[in-house]
Amino acid sequence: MSSSSSCGRDAAAGVSWIRAWTTFVALSLLAHLARAVTFDPVPPPELDLSKLGRVGLVGDFDAISLYRYREQSQNGFSTNGSQSILTSLPTGPYATLASSDAHINAMCPFVMRGGTLAGVVVGGNFTSLGGVEAQGVAMFNATSGQVTPLPGLSGKVNALLCDEPTNSVYVGGEFRGANSTNAIAWIGLDGWTNLPFAGFNGPVNTIVKASNGKIIFGGAFDGLGNKSTGPAKKHQQVVNLDTATISAGSSTARDGLADPRNIVCQSDPSDGPDSTWLLSDDTPGYWRAEFRFGFRPTKLRIWNTRFEDRGTRTFRFTALPINGIMNLTYTEPGADSNTTCDARCPLSADPDAAFQDFAFVDVIGMSSFQIDVSEWYGEGGGLNGIQLFQDDIYAFAENDFNEPSCAGLDSPSTASSIGPWRLSSSAQSSSDYLSGTFSGADLGPSTSVRFVPDLPESGNYSITVFTPGCIQDDTCSSRGRVNITGTVATGTRSVRPIQTEIFQTNNFDKYDEVYKGYVDAGGRGRGGAGDFRPSITLTPSADQEGDVAIVAQRVRFELIESTSGLNGLYEFDPDRADAAEADVTNSTYGRAGLELDDGAIVNSIVVDGDVTYVGGDFVSDRDHANIFVVRDDDDNDNDATALPGGGLDGEVLAMHVHDGLLYVGGNFTDTNQTETDGLVNVAAFSTADEAWRPLGAGVNGRVERIVPLTLNVTSDEPETVISLTGTFDELLPFDGNEGVSVTGFAVWVPSRENWLQNLDLDIVAIDGQLTTFAVVPEGPTLVAGTLSSQGLAARGAVGLPVSGPLRLRRMPIRIRPGSPVSQSRKRAVGGQDVTGVVAGYFYENDGRNVTVLGGHFTARAADGSSVDNLALVNGSNENAVGGLGPGLSPDSTFLALAVQQDTLYAGGTVTGTVNGDDEVNGLIMYDLVRADFVQPQPPALAGDDVAVHAIAGQPDSDDVYVGGNFDAAGSMSCPSLCIFSQSASQWNRPGDGLTGSVGAMAWAGVNKLVVGGNLTVNGSATSMVTYDPGSRVWSAFAGNGQDIPGPVTALSAADNSASRFWIAGASTNGSAFLMVYDGATFRSVGDTLGTTTRIRGLQVLPLSQPHESTELLDDDQILLVSGQLDIPGFGNASAALFNGTNFAPFILSTSANSSPGSVSQIVSLRDDFFTTSGGRLAVGFVVLIALAIALALIFFLVVMGIVIERIRRKREGYLPAPTQMYDKGGNVDRIPPAYLFGTLGREGRGPGGAPMI
């Protein structure tokens, strides 16, 4: 019919769509040619630290950076399976350029013929890259960050080769695309092109170009795509119509004949009511089935009705929702050849033909279909039965989608589930699926879905697990990992059980091949064994935290057979038009593969000049154990030869050549025939010496990837280092180097012949996973994986310069990760965990220079021993590191430090026995002059969960105020805060009325102590109080002190007199607060930090350049806020600078377990925070100086006035009065004094004799 379109035309339309998309991709690539990466620098803060002497930062971190580029972040490396494209910032750390939702396995810069860089081709098992949907492969522009998908493939890409001479990108992996499987090429800007051999029947793991110009493919295949055969039995899986939604148009009105479901699941259809579906007389109509899953039918079986001589004469099959009329082939009764039809397919009325089969010419996916009856026999059309078959063999998690029980099958595909699963709508996926949210005990074998397929025959199968994308059900933030296990054969054939783990964090639908090999079909299948049924089981991985979303959809079993005689290697000549027909035995690499035992797997191929190294999992009679070499030169016959020692004794997974060394990683312990120490899972082979070399003593687990990096290690000149990624967790000890705990990542420094983790240098910190790299011409080196990277590898403490450019430097101490603090030992105020370095103090006096660090950690002492929780770095003795000595519990944690008259006061959750019999709890005293504990120690603090959080010595006194969570000091009741008199060596109670827990305190002058915490004063709950040592009286803050929303845990003066100060803590709802006291009221900065913020330290710092004036801060000050901060619009930071209006990230850090780090506080030698290098003084001094200047000016004006007046008088003719007078003194003798004063006041006295005026 002219109005109808066939499936062939639909297929052509699909090809046209792909070509149109390819044209769009080509234009996009030409419009955005990549050459260089640019970064956005951040202006450095104008801090003035010149008055502070020495400055440091302490906290819980293993790597730390100054925030200098907007591309920096504090995020740890991902553990959910997602990876990114990264490159290094000018300062060393790595920045993310584009993120994917799964692994990135390969990258290569695509330089087209003529030298034009189209972009970087990226391949993996992702479904999105840079937020753009891309199935396994995409083009990345390194300048703009634009991602251009290369549509047409479905599956996983493992290997890429960008070849400029052939203008091609060769792509290998586990996928389908065009008419190829597992290998295909992208040609110039033309798009996907089938290779002459149409791919392979197994995964491709590696592709290289040999020195002879041939393209070498390596993998787990034994046949070419165009020489592989499908299953011997076709059309074996029955599509389940029984659970579909069935409808019809123009049905008859007759009872028992109008229901379109009459013809579903009829194993032996017969004419009549309840078995036949009829159309109305002389009326065309349709029959439709709609499914909640997708399928790809290969055969349609129809039973025509003969009820009352009616029947269907012609029909058409329309695939929905694509609305494509399918091309079918059929055989006329009695004919020997097939006939093709599309819009008018005939259906026989021959009574001897029970049913008629139609095969689909094109196998395409659909989720609904419709049969339109256009002509009929007799008075109207109708049908007696219908069945649909497909070659694909699936087992669905939802049993309604598996083969129907009414199909009469002995062992239909089934599924069974354990646990609280629910059915989720397919949305954007191919079918509905089971989903659930699990935690705790539900994560593990107690929750599962078991898939049992219906296999027609035994043989080699590829088993693939399908996973729906997380965007459609909004579970991307909680998706986790699943274990896939399975049993595929009985004991009669040795086959390893399936056991692997896959991530379910994909944004869009994906599939993972979990097994390739022999599968026993069981009782029904050809070659099956008895009652055995193969099965695949999906369970949530147990080692996951929180609520984890898990999905289960379907498993595919694909039969793979081969007739082409390959064995893991294939050599392709792109210059030969008949390459697919070439004799494998005539090629060097094909012949090398055939010399290996059957089932060889090639994982890595590396070309070094005219030498090619091949590594994998294989053995041969020629001593090629897991690695061999092919030399393409005139002095050799080009045959494969073994390396010294007969290769290696285990599988080779990765290789890389650099500077004359072949680095090899895998799962081995030595060479195959000889003994070479240290070749444990990683080794180096000298291409010049033809000898194996160890990398240290190796690592304790598999090495799966080797990626080179460029780092500044020993000078300003960058050098190449070798990174390893795998399943190991320790660098084995060697040559005096201790074993180092790692998380599956290590870096070898060839120039130092040591691991980066062992080098005590100011170097960049890197941790995570790396999978591949690409060197962009005239551009950066890109790496792929997931990294936690900061500018400096330093644990727990770093220094800051007080002058010059702002930078971080390591302190001369090696701190190891401390053991976690138990839940009962958390800080009583704020509920903060305390690991790492919590407090620090710089002590200098009489030639002594000691840096004190306290917290919960372990450091290495100068003699190689361990120092727990409090370390003393003696700058007067070449920075020798020591500790307090024996006696304290290793579970102790130091939270506060102070020095008074050469005595160190260290408090926290501290317990133990020192000096033989001194019991300590909460506080210890240590003599820094004698380098020993003070004898005796003060009486121990007492109470539940004793903890000292703050220590402050009173100015101009030897009294030390100790605050925290305790009830008594020795036998004296002294809740929350107690005074230790150093001269009297005794505790004193500071008045009455205070209880609770002290979190922070500071002196505001000599006679006023400001205290914050979770407090009660005189029976009233409060967060801030003051204490007057003279009157020994506690007072709550007047004004709006009750508006403080929770306990105060951090406090910093805002001026030299501490009449203004900043406070921070945790609100009762768990969020952080930050407030300033302006001398009269407390003022909040508002909800300017995220809800996950935990503030641990505050400090006002001076500036060398003023900022804009604000109400909260002077323009020459800025507030340093430290802890674990969540800055809206940025993310996590360990410290930020607040200018009174906005927060700016200042310090970024990470910890060894890939989580964000934290900074506890800034430490300085002097507390001169309120003067600047420009000579700006405190307000009091400024007033005195101004008064002196004013008095001097007044004196000057008075003097000048007198001088001017004298000059004026002289000019006007005034003469000095005569100074010579005659002497009148002689007359005094003539008048007696009594005469003059004797009668004074006789008549003028008032009452009582008082003189009157």
Side-chain angles (χ1 to χ4, degrees):
M1 299 176 63
S2 60
S3 62
S4 302
S5 62
S6 69
C7 182
R9 288 189 288 273
D10 286 323
V15 172
S16 298
W17 178 85
I18 293 177
R19 288 176 178 167
W21 181 264
T22 300
T23 301
F24 168 75
V25 170
L27 293 174
S28 298
L29 297 179
L30 288 175
H32 300 277
L33 300 181
R35 285 294 177 186
V37 177
T38 58
F39 301 105
D40 188 7
V42 176
E46 302 288 349
L47 300 181
D48 183 2
L49 307 179
S50 58
K51 301 293 184 180
L52 303 183
R54 295 168 58 195
V55 179
L57 297 170
V58 298
D60 184 14
F61 53 81
D62 295 276
I64 189 167
S65 288
L66 291 168
Y67 179 62
R68 291 184 173 178
Y69 290 90
R70 300 192 190 280
E71 291 78 9
Q72 285 179 261
S73 78
Q74 187 173 279
N75 297 332
F77 60 86
S78 168
T79 58
N80 67 356
S82 61
Q83 295 185 345
S84 303
I85 302 171
L86 311 109
T87 194
S88 61
L89 294 164
T91 51
Y94 278 78
T96 297
L97 302 179
S99 296
S100 74
D101 60 352
H103 280 205
I104 297 173
N105 296 326
M107 295 192 299
C108 67
F110 182 25
V111 179
M112 298 187 297
R113 191 180 292 131
T116 301
L117 176 64
V120 178
V121 184
V122 183
N125 68 339
F126 50 82
T127 65
S128 70
L129 179 66
V132 177
E133 183 175 1
Q135 292 288 338
V137 63
M139 194 82 74
F140 174 71
N141 184 296
T143 300
S144 66
Q146 179 187 9
V147 174
T148 303
L150 305 180
L153 302 187
S154 177
K156 176 171 67 173
V157 171
N158 294 330
L160 295 168
L161 171 66
C162 293
D163 186 43
E164 182 178 353
T166 61
N167 209 34
S168 303
V169 181
Y170 295 94
V171 182
E174 305 169 41
F175 56 79
R176 292 177 178 176
N179 293 321
S180 296
T181 57
N182 302 327
I184 199 171
W186 178 278
I187 307 297
L189 297 178
D190 296 332
W192 296 116
T193 300
N194 293 312
L195 295 170
F197 50 88
F200 302 93
N201 70 341
V204 173
N205 298 326
T206 179
I207 309 173
V208 299
K209 187 172 186 178
S211 58
N212 61 7
K214 308 293 178 58
I215 310 300
I216 314 302
F217 294 84
F221 50 79
D222 56 14
L224 298 175
N226 60 7
K227 293 187 178 180
S228 298
T229 62
K233 296 182 178 181
K234 293 183 177 294
H235 321 305
Q236 288 298 300
Q237 185 155 63
V238 179
V239 177
N240 194 337
L241 296 172
D242 190 36
T243 58
T245 300
I246 307 298
S247 61
S250 303
S251 298
T252 183
R254 298 171 62 178
D255 291 341
L257 299 170
D259 189 353
R261 295 195 63 86
N262 287 347
I263 64 173
V264 174
C265 233
Q266 296 282 5
S267 58
D268 186 19
S270 58
D271 287 317
D274 299 327
S275 297
T276 299
W277 167 71
L278 292 182
L279 287 167
S280 298
D281 293 351
D282 296 322
T283 303
Y286 67 86
W287 186 95
R288 179 183 295 172
E290 297 173 284
F291 303 80
R292 289 180 291 127
F293 63 94
F295 52 93
R296 301 194 316 148
T298 57
K299 185 175 74 172
L300 170 68
R301 175 170 292 174
I302 295 181
W303 284 263
N304 203 353
T305 185
R306 295 171 185 84
F307 183 75
E308 298 177 349
D309 295 327
R310 297 168 180 261
T312 296
R313 182 185 295 273
T314 60
F315 73 95
R316 68 182 180 192
F317 186 103
T318 303
L320 301 173
I322 65 173
N323 203 33
I325 299 173
M326 303 296 292
N327 287 333
L328 306 175
T329 63
Y330 65 97
T331 303
E332 293 278 4
D336 296 329
S337 61
N338 289 337
T339 303
T340 301
C341 66
D342 49 25
R344 296 170 58 88
C345 290
L347 197 58
S348 173
D350 185 350
D352 295 330
F355 56 82
Q356 192 168 349
D357 288 340
F358 295 84
F360 290 83
V361 174
D362 299 292
V363 180
I364 63 174
M366 61 190 72
S367 60
S368 304
F369 69 88
Q370 180 172 301
I371 293 176
D372 293 281
V373 178
S374 54
E375 297 178 89
W376 48 88
Y377 299 105
E379 295 182 0
L383 296 174
N384 261 16
I386 184 171
Q387 275 190 330
L388 206 58
F389 301 86
Q390 62 181 6
D391 287 345
D392 296 334
I393 301 171
Y394 287 100
F396 289 88
E398 170 56 42
N399 253 325
D400 282 352
F401 306 158
N402 288 318
E403 293 175 303
S405 58
C406 59
L409 302 175
D410 294 332
S411 53
S413 57
T414 62
S416 58
S417 62
I418 301 174
W421 297 93
R422 63 181 181 274
L423 187 63
S424 294
S425 174
S426 63
Q428 301 170 3
S429 188
S430 61
S431 72
D432 291 356
Y433 53 92
L434 298 185
S435 65
T437 301
F438 307 99
S439 62
D442 289 335
L443 293 170
S446 61
T447 302
S448 66
V449 177
R450 183 171 179 260
F451 303 84
V452 180
D454 178 16
L455 300 182
E457 57 186 303
S458 300
N460 291 323
Y461 282 82
S462 169
I463 302 178
T464 305
V465 174
F466 289 76
T467 305
C470 63
I471 290 178
Q472 62 182 337
D473 58 7
D474 195 25
T475 59
C476 293
S477 62
S478 57
R479 284 283 187 97
R481 310 185 312 275
V482 293
N483 280 319
I484 305 297
T485 58
T487 304
V488 295
T490 63
T492 60
R493 180 156 181 169
S494 177
V495 176
R496 287 185 300 178
I498 299 171
Q499 185 166 0
T500 189
E501 185 179 62
I502 63 175
F503 288 89
Q504 295 197 326
T505 53
N506 46 293
N507 289 340
F508 304 96
D509 287 11
K510 70 160 184 172
Y511 63 79
D512 294 277
E513 184 180 64
V514 298
Y515 175 78
K516 179 177 177 290
Y518 179 78
V519 178
D520 189 334
R524 172 179 178 260
R526 185 179 68 176
D531 295 331
F532 172 77
R533 296 289 302 278
S535 65
I536 297 294
T537 302
L538 179 151
T539 61
S541 297
D543 56 337
Q544 302 180 85
E545 297 181 356
D547 293 332
V548 182
I550 301 296
V551 294
Q553 187 181 55
R554 56 183 173 141
V555 177
R556 182 179 69 198
F557 294 76
E558 183 179 13
L559 185 65
I560 300 174
E561 297 293 345
S562 171
T563 59
S564 63
L566 298 180
N567 193 23
L569 280 169
Y570 180 69
E571 180 178 334
F572 168 61
D573 187 349
D575 297 328
R576 287 190 57 174
D578 62 344
E581 306 301 325
D583 187 353
V584 173
T585 60
N586 290 333
S587 70
T588 300
Y589 295 91
R591 191 166 57 248
L594 294 177
E595 291 174 354
L596 306 176
D597 289 357
D598 290 344
I601 299 175
V602 174
N603 294 316
S604 179
I605 306 175
V606 171
V607 176
D608 183 25
D610 57 4
V611 178
T612 302
Y613 298 92
V614 179
D617 186 8
F618 51 76
V619 294
S620 79
D621 294 336
R622 301 184 62 182
D623 297 330
H624 302 166
N626 302 303
I627 188 170
F628 64 83
V629 62
V630 176
R631 292 179 171 85
D632 184 19
D633 56 48
D634 297 334
D635 298 330
N636 293 279
D637 57 6
N638 296 342
D639 284 343
T641 57
L643 293 182
L648 296 167
D649 65 358
E651 183 177 10
V652 171
L653 295 168
M655 297 189 296
H656 177 74
V657 170
H658 173 70
D659 199 19
L661 290 176
L662 172 69
Y663 294 91
V664 182
N667 188 21
F668 49 81
T669 59
D670 207 338
T671 59
N672 192 45
Q673 298 173 346
T674 60
E675 293 185 4
T676 303
D677 292 338
L679 305 187
V680 182
N681 299 310
V682 64
F685 179 75
S686 172
T687 59
D689 300 339
E690 294 279 320
W692 291 102
R693 297 180 182 178
L695 271 63
V699 298
N700 71 338
R702 289 161 49 108
V703 173
E704 298 171 342
R705 298 279 184 163
I706 300 177
V707 176
L709 297 173
T710 301
L711 297 179
N712 290 333
V713 177
T714 57
S715 67
D716 291 334
E717 290 296 324
E719 63 180 278
T720 299
V721 297
I722 306 300
S723 74
L724 312 178
T725 298
T727 60
F728 52 90
D729 58 17
E730 183 185 13
L731 309 180
L732 298 177
F734 72 100
D735 295 345
N737 293 281
E738 298 178 349
V740 179
S741 296
V742 293
T743 56
F745 185 80
V747 177
W748 178 258
V749 182
S751 64
R752 294 296 190 98
E753 295 188 349
N754 208 332
W755 302 107
L756 185 68
Q757 288 86 340
N758 283 331
L759 301 181
D760 191 14
L761 300 171
D762 285 356
I763 48 180
V764 67
I766 304 175
D767 196 12
Q769 303 171 352
L770 288 177
T771 55
T772 187
F773 73 103
V775 180
V776 180
E778 301 180 22
T781 297
L782 306 180
V783 296
T786 173
L787 287 181
S788 170
S789 176
Q790 301 298 339
L792 183 65
R795 181 172 289 128
V798 293
L800 282 168
V802 296
S803 61
L806 201 61
R807 61 185 178 86
L808 300 174
R809 64 178 186 270
R810 291 164 58 99
M811 285 192 178
I813 182 173
R814 297 194 67 175
I815 297 176
R816 305 164 183 160
S819 58
V821 180
S822 65
Q823 194 74 11
S824 64
R825 307 293 279 183
K826 286 185 178 181
R827 292 189 68 169
V829 176
Q832 299 180 33
D833 246 336
V834 280
T835 56
V837 179
V838 180
Y841 196 95
F842 293 131
Y843 164 74
E844 290 185 5
N845 189 33
D846 197 20
R848 292 181 293 276
N849 177 357
V850 179
T851 299
V852 185
L853 300 175
H856 188 80
F857 59 85
T858 299
R860 182 176 180 177
D863 59 4
S865 61
S866 293
V867 174
D868 290 328
N869 307 321
L870 193 143
L872 304 169
V873 183
N874 191 344
S876 306
N877 184 24
E878 298 181 347
N879 292 320
V881 178
L884 298 177
L888 297 180
S889 167
D891 290 333
S892 298
T893 300
F894 289 92
L895 304 175
L897 303 173
V899 173
Q900 189 88 329
Q901 299 178 358
D902 296 324
T903 298
L904 170 67
Y905 291 77
T909 56
V910 184
T911 59
T913 303
V914 301
N915 299 329
D917 57 358
D918 275 351
E919 296 285 342
V920 296
N921 189 11
L923 181 76
I924 60 101
M925 292 172 58
Y926 187 82
D927 190 327
L928 292 171
V929 177
R930 296 188 305 106
D932 199 0
F933 287 104
V934 170
Q935 295 186 7
Q937 289 288 300
L941 302 175
D944 295 332
D945 298 328
V946 170
V948 170
H949 298 145
I951 305 173
Q954 184 177 6
D956 302 330
S957 169
D958 66 355
D959 288 346
V960 177
Y961 286 64
V962 178
N965 186 63
F966 49 84
D967 298 326
S971 60
M972 181 182 67
S973 175
C974 194
S976 309
L977 191 144
C978 214
I979 306 171
F980 185 78
S981 173
Q982 192 165 336
S983 57
S985 189
Q986 69 179 23
W987 289 107
N988 295 310
R989 181 170 178 171
D992 298 321
L994 180 72
T995 59
S997 181
V998 172
M1001 56 185 175
W1003 284 96
V1006 178
N1007 295 312
K1008 183 179 180 181
L1009 179 68
V1010 179
V1011 180
N1014 188 8
L1015 306 169
T1016 299
V1017 60
N1018 301 323
S1020 299
T1022 185
S1023 297
M1024 293 292 297
V1025 297
T1026 60
Y1027 177 70
D1028 184 342
S1031 62
R1032 302 179 70 239
V1033 173
W1034 291 99
S1035 303
F1037 266 82
N1040 66 336
Q1042 69 278 2
D1043 293 340
I1044 301 174
V1048 172
T1049 57
L1051 185 153
S1052 172
D1055 57 28
N1056 208 34
S1057 63
S1059 61
R1060 297 178 297 143
F1061 51 84
W1062 288 87
I1063 60 171
S1067 303
T1068 53
N1069 64 3
S1071 63
F1073 67 84
L1074 178 63
M1075 306 180 77
V1076 62
Y1077 182 70
D1078 61 8
T1081 61
F1082 288 93
R1083 302 174 62 182
S1084 173
V1085 302
D1087 296 329
T1088 51
L1089 293 172
T1091 57
T1092 61
T1093 294
R1094 296 294 179 267
I1095 297 175
R1096 295 190 174 181
L1098 298 173
Q1099 183 61 61
V1100 175
L1101 297 175
L1103 293 174
S1104 60
Q1105 297 293 329
H1107 57 71
E1108 292 184 5
S1109 179
T1110 69
E1111 294 182 357
L1112 300 180
L1113 271 172
D1114 294 344
D1115 61 1
D1116 61 347
Q1117 295 178 349
I1118 200 162
L1119 178 66
L1120 175 68
V1121 183
S1122 59
Q1124 292 176 316
L1125 311 181
D1126 178 6
I1127 303 176
F1130 174 78
N1132 295 323
S1134 297
L1137 296 171
F1138 180 65
N1139 64 2
T1141 305
N1142 299 311
F1143 286 91
F1146 178 53
I1147 297 292
L1148 310 179
S1149 71
T1150 53
S1151 61
N1153 61 359
S1154 183
S1155 61
S1158 66
V1159 170
S1160 294
Q1161 60 179 239
I1162 186 172
V1163 184
S1164 64
L1165 177 63
R1166 292 188 287 272
D1167 294 337
D1168 195 0
F1169 294 106
F1170 302 103
T1171 61
T1172 68
S1173 59
R1176 300 183 66 174
L1177 302 177
V1179 174
F1181 291 107
V1182 172
V1183 172
L1184 290 175
I1185 293 172
L1187 179 61
I1189 293 172
L1191 291 173
L1193 287 173
I1194 292 171
F1195 177 77
F1196 176 76
L1197 291 174
V1198 170
V1199 172
M1200 289 299 296
I1202 293 172
V1203 171
I1204 292 171
E1205 179 64 15
R1206 289 178 65 87
I1207 294 173
R1208 184 185 66 82
R1209 287 175 175 271
K1210 186 174 183 180
R1211 286 178 178 176
E1212 292 179 355
Y1214 284 89
L1215 296 176
T1219 59
Q1220 300 273 330
M1221 302 250 341
Y1222 61 88
D1223 186 11
K1224 296 182 180 181
N1227 293 331
V1228 175
D1229 294 335
R1230 298 177 184 179
I1231 303 174
Y1235 180 82
L1236 293 174
F1237 301 105
T1239 60
L1240 181 64
R1242 287 180 179 175
E1243 303 299 328
R1245 289 189 178 271
M1252 296 183 63
I1253 297 176

